[in-house]
């Protein structure tokens, strides 16, 4: 069988992901695995029509297509995203229709599920026959159980093609019917403030709703926020995945374009607003470039304690996966999500008031220094980073290690002697049936809140928190 592998790594053949594919090819010599380096060659593919057509021809003649990519910042690499955009922009979706497909990724399992959900949606939008997905840990090739699993996945995929397995779609096509946003009467710029507010966008002239949202939001402030349009920033390419930044956050692009200076400027703002339009099931590939290129900061948060807000034009209500990415991104930056406003509101004036409220809230939260506690996204994700940077990724991510040491990210081993003594003592007592009955009886709930009750009743920790504003 001919299986086309669409390689999403900017490192081309020298990619970890492709070593897994090379293993599959070696173990299945009777099949032809044709690898196309999509992310690495995107400029060529985009600018040379013949090259693009060649890729399409390969897909057309394939029995199956594997989307094989490394995780890049909650999703696929910006160049891979661009390729997906080109398929739609050049009306080539028919090439993919009814093709059997599977998704394969390598990562450290940090939001691999959002990248997979995105790709699942894309495969459904392309009317492909989606068989299966496999998210490998980047070192899993060295584990015999995982290698076997990988082979089973691949052979299962081939078998599904052979038996012409029926494949149900998982997500509905997007309904793209957002109303035109027509702002109401001009507002007076009432919010006097001393905050630094920066709006980052990739808005184009034709994106009327997005431009109007930005304008309406900005118009609320006595001092207009600064607007940075990514289209006017010199960005000479996507993240290379070279990890040169690992040692001291020195990016391979240093001095070669304006991205790093622009990004470092954002770190000085109190309130950041990211404004973009949905393209397929994410924002644009330019926005993806922004997120990827920010990786020169490696696994450290960039916007600690800042207010972050999003203005999104497009069907975000139909894309909970994208919403999750925006929320999780904010948590990982240790910023506070002031809000997300879209142009989906159906009543006249709703978007106006949502934008006004967002402006007010951003200032209010900034003044209070409010930061919502992290959810599973932030808490769980940081534990993945902690373990990776402590262990296998300490080299090359030397700068992360220093930062994690200094900022208490390494919260292990958990000495916590008080808990250990209590656990040992109660663990022993619980072995006695009569005591166990007592311990696990109605007293348990009482016991669980005992310390909390004492804490609240004592009241000595409430000083300064009883303001009534
Ligand atoms: C810029 C950058 C961003 C990354 N983002 C993620 C991520 O969001 N989640 C994750 O689990 N791994 C992430 N990784 C790790 C890669 O997915 C992983 O190392 C992968 O195996 C690299 O494959 P490749 O060599 O084929 O490019 C990232 C790596 C880089 C360089």
């Amino acid at each position: 069988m001919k299986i086309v592998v669409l390689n999403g790594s900017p490192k081309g053949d020298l990619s970890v992901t492709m070593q897994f594919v090379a293993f599959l090819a070696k173990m299945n010599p009777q099949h032809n695995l044709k690898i196309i380096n999509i992310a690495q060659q995107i400029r060529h593919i985009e600018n040379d029509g013949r090259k693009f057509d060649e890729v399409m021809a390969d897909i057309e003649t394939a029995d199956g297509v594997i989307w094989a990519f490394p995780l890049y910042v909650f999703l696929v690499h910006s160049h891979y995203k661009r390729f997906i955009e080109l398929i739609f922009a050049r009306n080539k979706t028919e090439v993919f229709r009814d093709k059997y497909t599977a998704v394969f990724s390598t990562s450290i399992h940090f939001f691999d599920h959002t990248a997979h959900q995105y790709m699942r949606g894309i495969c459904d939008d392309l009317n492909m026959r989606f068989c299966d997905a496999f998210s490998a840990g980047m070192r899993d090739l060295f584990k015999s159980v995982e290698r076997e699993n990988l082979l089973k996945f691949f052979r299962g995929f081939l078998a599904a093609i052979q038996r012409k397995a029926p494949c149900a779609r998982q997500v509905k096509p997007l309904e793209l019917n957002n109303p035109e946003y027509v702002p109401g009467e001009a507002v007076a710029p009432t919010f006097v403030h001393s905050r630094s507010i920066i709006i980052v966008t990739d808005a184009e002239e034709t994106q009327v709703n997005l431009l109007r949202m930005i304008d309406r939001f900005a118009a609320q402030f006595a001092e207009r926020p600064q607007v940075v349009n990514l289209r006017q920033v010199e960005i000479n390419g996507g993240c290379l995945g070279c990890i040169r930044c690992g040692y001291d956050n020195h990016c391979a692009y240093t001095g070669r374009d304006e991205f790093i200076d622009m990004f470092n400027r954002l770190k000085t703002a109190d309130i950041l607003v990211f404004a973009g339009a949905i393209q397929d099931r994410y924002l644009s590939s330019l926005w993806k470039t922004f997120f990827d290129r920010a990786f020169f900061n490696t696994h450290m948060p960039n916007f600690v304690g800042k207010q972050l807000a999003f203005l999104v034009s497009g069907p975000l209500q139909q894309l909970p996966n994208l919403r999750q990415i925006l929320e999780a991104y904010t948590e990982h930056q240790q910023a506070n999500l002031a809000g997300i406003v879209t142009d989906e509101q159906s009543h006249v004036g709703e978007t106006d008031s949502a934008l006004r409220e967002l402006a007010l809230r951003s200032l209010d939260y900034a003044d209070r220094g409010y930061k919502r506690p992290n959810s599973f996204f932030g808490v769980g994700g940081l534990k993945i980073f902690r373990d990776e940077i402590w262990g296998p990724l300490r080299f090359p991510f030397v700068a992360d290690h220093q930062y994690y040491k200094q900022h208490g990210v390494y919260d292990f081993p958990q000495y916590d002697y008080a808990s250990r003594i209590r656990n040992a003592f109660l663990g022993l007592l619980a072995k006695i049936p009569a005591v166990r009955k007592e311990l696990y009886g109605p007293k348990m709930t009482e016991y669980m809140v005992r310390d909390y009750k004492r804490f609240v009743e004592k009241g000595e920790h409430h000083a300064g928190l009883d303001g009534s504003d």
Side-chain angles (χ1 to χ4, degrees):
M1 268 194 258
K2 176 180 174 183
I3 304 296
V4 163
V5 178
L6 300 173
N7 178 9
S9 174
K11 294 182 281 174
D13 296 337
L14 283 180
S15 104
V16 169
T17 313
M18 286 308 108
Q19 308 318 305
F20 286 69
V21 172
F23 165 74
L24 288 176
K26 193 162 183 187
M27 299 302 286
N28 298 278
Q30 68 280 31
H31 298 291
N32 169 18
L33 269 76
K34 167 102 199 241
I35 297 170
I36 308 177
N37 290 328
I38 298 291
Q40 192 193 40
Q41 295 184 8
I42 191 65
R43 280 212 178 135
H44 189 188
I45 293 170
E46 177 162 7
N47 299 331
D48 179 346
R50 267 176 317 174
K51 176 71 186 163
F52 183 80
D53 289 345
E54 255 173 54
V55 176
M56 293 300 125
D58 262 322
I59 291 166
E60 208 143 27
T61 54
D63 298 294
V65 175
I66 298 183
W67 299 88
F69 57 88
L71 249 287
Y72 261 66
V73 198
F74 302 90
L75 208 85
V76 298
H77 187 274
S78 60
H79 292 176
Y80 212 46
K81 169 80 172 63
R82 180 68 193 143
F83 175 69
I84 291 165
E85 290 174 1
L86 290 176
I87 299 168
F88 291 99
R90 295 181 179 177
N91 292 321
K92 291 291 177 185
T93 54
E94 283 307 299
V95 174
F96 293 79
R97 181 180 285 278
D98 291 335
K99 283 276 166 215
Y100 279 94
T101 190
V103 163
F104 172 74
S105 70
T106 65
S107 71
I108 57 168
H109 295 305
F110 174 86
F111 287 84
D112 51 348
H113 67 291
T114 48
H116 277 250
Q117 188 55 44
Y118 169 75
M119 284 309 306
R120 176 74 218 235
I122 295 299
C123 291
D124 281 352
D125 290 344
L126 292 171
N127 295 301
M128 300 184 85
R129 294 185 177 167
F130 187 95
C131 292
D132 204 356
F134 193 99
S135 172
M138 64 181 289
R139 292 173 292 274
D140 282 356
L141 195 59
F142 307 115
K143 300 175 189 159
S144 64
V145 174
E146 297 305 343
R147 272 198 309 273
E148 273 171 37
N149 256 333
L150 179 61
L151 276 177
K152 287 173 193 167
F153 155 75
F154 183 65
R155 289 174 182 162
F157 175 49
L158 298 179
I161 299 173
Q162 234 148 18
R163 68 171 181 273
K164 298 192 180 353
C167 303
R169 62 184 303 145
Q170 194 188 73
V171 296
K172 282 186 183 167
L174 294 173
E175 284 174 30
L176 303 173
N177 52 9
N178 286 15
E180 184 186 342
Y181 165 47
V182 183
E185 265 177 44
V187 282
T190 39
F191 300 148
V192 179
H193 66 96
S194 56
R195 299 283 168 190
S196 151
I197 308 172
I198 304 183
I199 302 172
V200 186
T201 184
D202 64 341
E204 294 179 281
E205 261 174 43
T206 50
Q207 293 172 323
V208 177
N209 276 13
L210 183 59
L211 286 168
R212 286 178 182 166
M213 282 202 290
I214 293 169
D215 197 52
R216 185 75 180 193
F217 176 79
Q220 317 286 334
F221 300 97
E223 187 161 339
R224 289 280 286 205
Q226 197 188 324
V227 178
V228 174
N229 193 316
L230 296 175
R231 296 190 188 276
Q232 283 146 24
V233 178
E234 185 195 19
I235 303 176
N236 279 341
C239 174
L240 304 170
C242 63
I243 317 289
R244 225 167 285 178
C245 50
Y247 186 72
D248 57 1
N249 301 113
H250 187 89
C251 178
Y253 281 98
T254 304
R256 287 173 51 196
D257 67 14
E258 295 173 350
F259 183 85
I260 299 162
D261 286 347
M262 181 274 296
F263 193 85
N264 284 336
R265 209 148 31 90
L266 303 185
K267 294 180 188 171
T268 63
D270 301 307
I271 298 169
L272 274 169
V273 182
F274 291 174
I278 289 172
Q279 209 163 339
D280 56 62
R281 291 177 177 268
Y282 185 79
L283 302 169
S284 69
S285 54
L286 179 55
W287 260 115
K288 190 64 191 30
T289 304
F290 171 90
F291 291 117
D292 291 356
R293 284 285 307 273
F295 190 77
F296 74 88
N297 299 284
T298 53
H299 302 89
M300 294 176 237
N302 296 304
F303 305 132
V304 180
K306 298 185 185 306
Q307 299 300 324
L308 191 53
F310 295 91
L311 306 181
V312 179
S313 173
L316 188 65
Q317 284 169 6
Q318 298 169 59
L319 292 168
N321 191 54
L322 176 54
R323 182 173 282 270
Q324 184 177 145
I325 292 172
L326 302 182
E327 290 175 0
Y329 173 80
T330 308
E331 290 197 13
H332 275 279
Q333 297 308 326
Q334 292 185 27
N336 187 55
L337 183 61
I340 303 177
V341 174
T342 76
D343 55 0
E344 293 164 291
Q345 279 76 13
S346 45
H347 304 296
V348 177
E350 244 182 297
T351 308
D352 283 355
S353 37
L355 289 167
R356 188 171 175 77
E357 172 58 20
L358 183 65
L360 185 61
R361 190 175 291 202
S362 306
L363 282 177
D364 184 45
Y365 283 171
D367 288 344
R368 291 173 196 275
Y370 175 55
K371 157 83 180 79
R372 202 174 287 113
N374 275 356
S375 72
F376 174 73
F377 301 154
V379 177
L382 190 60
K383 286 186 194 300
I384 293 182
F385 285 173
R386 176 197 69 184
D387 289 358
E388 287 288 335
I389 301 300
W390 174 262
L393 293 186
R394 188 182 303 188
F395 182 84
F397 292 108
V398 176
D400 286 341
H401 177 58
Q402 293 308 327
Y403 181 93
Y404 281 18
K405 264 201 305 194
Q406 282 159 14
H407 290 81
V409 178
Y410 294 137
D411 55 357
F412 54 68
Q414 297 172 355
Y415 291 112
D416 192 4
Y417 288 111
S419 294
R420 282 156 80 176
I421 292 167
R422 192 201 56 204
N423 294 344
F425 179 65
L426 291 175
L428 270 177
L429 279 182
K431 288 195 193 300
I432 306 163
V435 181
R436 182 161 68 241
K437 200 171 165 202
E438 183 73 9
L439 284 175
Y440 286 90
K443 284 221 159 65
M444 180 61 97
T445 33
E446 217 174 279
Y447 168 74
M448 285 174 72
V449 293
R450 194 189 58 191
D451 289 349
Y452 296 84
K453 286 183 103 170
R454 277 191 200 150
F455 180 83
V456 176
E457 277 158 16
K458 259 188 178 171
E460 60 197 40
H461 301 282
H462 314 332
L465 294 178
D466 53 358
S468 55
D469 61 327

